[in-house]
Amino acid sequence: MLEIRFFSDNDWADTWKILEPVFRAGTTYPYSPTIDEDEAYQIWINNPAHTYVAVDSNLGILGTYYLKPNQPDLGSHICNCGYVVSPQARGRGTATAMCKHSQQEAVKLGYTAMQFNLVVAVNEVAVRLWQKLGFEIVGTLPDAFRHADQGLVDAHVMYKRLVFPTVTS
């Protein structure tokens, strides 16, 4: 059974074990492959408004995500999230569960939409999943990501409205 809950400091060691290889790979996140643990903690835990972990009672932490305003002040009604799933959990619905959870949390927190600013276009699994979950590609940034294996590749901006304005007469 997968439980998604707020991150606690006791979760950091296992969360870092999931984040580190993804950041080091240089294929999906814009952070330096040489990022150190303290920098990663700042980025993933301290800077976002909220950080969550997906926990299986038998297998431990299988994934993590953060939720934060996409922009300050006048753009803060739209949130941004980042998700990472452990290799053992890939293809088992963990990312789907976290994305659905993040949308519910975002609505509870008052966000009206969710935007992903840099979805690496060659990360076809992620692009397909986000589209399946209702996100649209609203823009493509040519050569916006320096992929460790493929060089300069495009990145998508993906967007989903979470709350629709009510019509009043």
Side-chain angles (χ1 to χ4, degrees), residues 2-148:
L2 191 66
E3 173 195 11
I4 300 174
R5 61 168 172 74
F6 283 110
F7 169 88
S8 75
D9 279 334
N10 293 335
D11 298 326
W12 176 246
D14 290 332
T15 301
W16 176 234
K17 285 178 190 171
I18 294 169
L19 294 174
E20 183 179 20
V22 171
F23 293 172
R24 299 250 184 272
T27 58
T28 57
Y29 275 89
Y31 311 120
S32 170
T34 62
I35 191 171
D36 67 34
E37 188 173 350
D38 291 336
E39 289 174 300
Y41 190 91
Q42 268 309 110
I43 290 166
W44 205 263
I45 308 301
N46 284 346
N47 290 346
H50 304 284
T51 303
Y52 302 82
V53 289
V55 182
D56 179 283
S57 56
N58 296 320
L59 301 173
I61 295 176
L62 297 180
T64 180
Y65 79 87
Y66 66 74
L67 190 150
K68 64 182 182 180
N70 193 50
Q71 298 293 329
D73 302 323
L74 302 180
S76 65
H77 58 289
I78 297 173
C79 68
N80 173 261
C81 292
Y83 310 85
V84 177
V85 174
S86 71
Q88 70 194 45
R90 290 193 185 125
R92 296 178 49 190
T94 304
T96 298
M98 289 193 305
C99 187
K100 288 179 177 179
H101 185 271
S102 69
Q103 292 175 60
Q104 293 168 351
E105 290 297 296
V107 170
K108 284 185 208 171
L109 293 166
Y111 294 105
T112 61
M114 187 175 287
Q115 180 174 317
F116 303 148
N117 298 319
L118 195 77
V119 180
V120 178
V122 295
N123 186 355
E124 294 170 357
V125 172
V127 173
R128 271 195 313 270
L129 177 59
W130 304 148
Q131 288 176 319
K132 178 181 165 189
L133 293 172
F135 289 83
E136 296 178 54
I137 296 171
V138 295
T140 299
L141 309 169
D143 297 337
F145 187 82
R146 280 193 311 259
H147 193 283

